[in-house]
Amino acid sequence: MAAAAPAVPPALTTLPPDALSFVLAFADVDDVVALGGACKAARDVALGPHLWRRLDLSARPRCYDVNDEHLSRMLAIAAQARGRDGGPESLDLSGCIDLTDAGCAAIADQCARSLRDLVVDGTDGFRVRRITDAGVRAIAVGCTALERVTLRCAHTITDDAIRALAAAPGATSRLRHLDITGCHNLGAGSVAAIRALTALTSLHIAGCRSMPADALADLFAGALPPPSMEAVAASDAT
């Protein structure tokens, strides 16, 4: 008697739309895009607006292959999925070390009214070396809803980048979180710009070794309302 053939698990595309949407909420964004190409029904589910509210491209090791073109394509898909709401509200680019100012321009273009939380994190042995002040300036000017900015270990930005963030329309009353840990080239000019951000409730500047001690002392002595602000002060390099 011949052995029974092993059971073949059902394809994801056979799931009801609600069930498939639930599964995709836990999937990597590249897998969501790939599944969306399987058939029209899968594509409709893969373009569900809730799946693109937060765009996370930080998954390792795929993040090391994310370049400006890939980011622009993902942002375009997110904008298509979310329709009148625009691009994603949250964008995590941790570990995406190949991104340049062109990628920042794409963020400013595709996420102008939607983006509230941006993470560009170059820790874990890598550094952000290809995004400059011009890229940060494009995001600061273009993304008019930005409330949280993380630029960790961005070694090519200077005080001009932080000045641009602070000078953006509405930033002084809108920006609540700023993490510039390990940005070694930020100095007194950045401290002065941060003082203008009166809505800040969270500030992380560990490893910003070029910031003068006297300027930091003044900053943490009460120059930054409200008094409840959580501040992680400068320490050793990150």
Side-chain angles (χ1 to χ4, degrees), residues 47-69:
L47 287 177
H50 68 287
L51 294 176
W52 296 92
R53 183 172 177 269
R54 181 176 187 270
L55 181 55
D56 187 348
L57 298 178
S58 68
R60 289 167 170 75
R62 288 182 175 179
C63 63
Y64 308 137
D65 297 323
V66 174
N67 56 25
D68 298 329
E69 182 180 357

Side-chain angles (χ1 to χ4, degrees), residues 2-237:
V8 177
L12 280 176
T13 51
T14 64
L15 292 174
D18 288 347
L20 180 56
S21 179
F22 178 81
V23 171
L24 291 183
F26 299 93
D28 182 87
V29 64
D30 289 304
D31 294 330
V32 173
V33 173
L35 186 65
C39 63
K40 182 181 184 304
R43 180 179 182 275
D44 290 342
V45 175
L47 287 177
H50 68 287
L51 294 176
W52 296 92
R53 183 172 177 269
R54 181 176 187 270
L55 181 55
D56 187 348
L57 298 178
S58 68
R60 289 167 170 75
R62 288 182 175 179
C63 63
Y64 308 137
D65 297 323
V66 174
N67 56 25
D68 298 329
E69 182 180 357
H70 181 77
L71 172 61
S72 182
R73 183 166 68 93
M74 290 299 178
L75 291 175
I77 295 173
Q80 178 187 0
R82 288 175 51 79
R84 61 188 300 174
D85 291 329
E89 295 181 15
S90 174
L91 180 59
D92 190 342
L93 301 173
S94 299
C96 300
I97 57 175
D98 280 340
L99 293 177
T100 72
D101 290 344
C104 295
I107 294 171
D109 180 52
Q110 299 281 3
C111 307
R113 295 176 291 104
S114 63
L115 190 63
R116 287 172 169 76
D117 185 2
L118 173 66
V119 177
V120 179
D121 191 342
T123 56
D124 294 338
F126 295 90
R127 299 293 182 263
V128 178
R129 302 184 187 277
R130 304 184 68 187
I131 293 176
T132 71
D133 295 340
V136 177
R137 186 180 304 110
I139 291 172
V141 173
C143 297
T144 58
L146 206 54
E147 298 175 358
R148 300 174 58 85
V149 175
T150 296
L151 294 169
R152 295 172 66 94
C153 294
H155 286 183
T156 47
I157 67 170
T158 71
D159 290 341
D160 285 343
I162 308 306
R163 291 190 187 103
L165 286 172
T172 55
S173 60
R174 171 173 35 84
L175 200 60
R176 298 184 291 107
H177 169 89
L178 180 62
D179 186 344
I180 46 178
T181 298
C183 294
H184 298 164
N185 292 324
L186 302 183
S190 293
V191 178
I194 291 169
R195 291 182 63 177
L197 296 172
T198 55
L200 275 184
T201 58
S202 178
L203 173 65
H204 297 255
I205 55 174
C208 294
R209 296 173 299 182
S210 298
M211 290 184 174
D214 56 345
L216 290 175
D218 181 49
L219 185 68
F220 296 127
L224 254 175
S228 61
M229 184 189 73
E230 171 200 0
V232 180
S235 64
D236 294 335

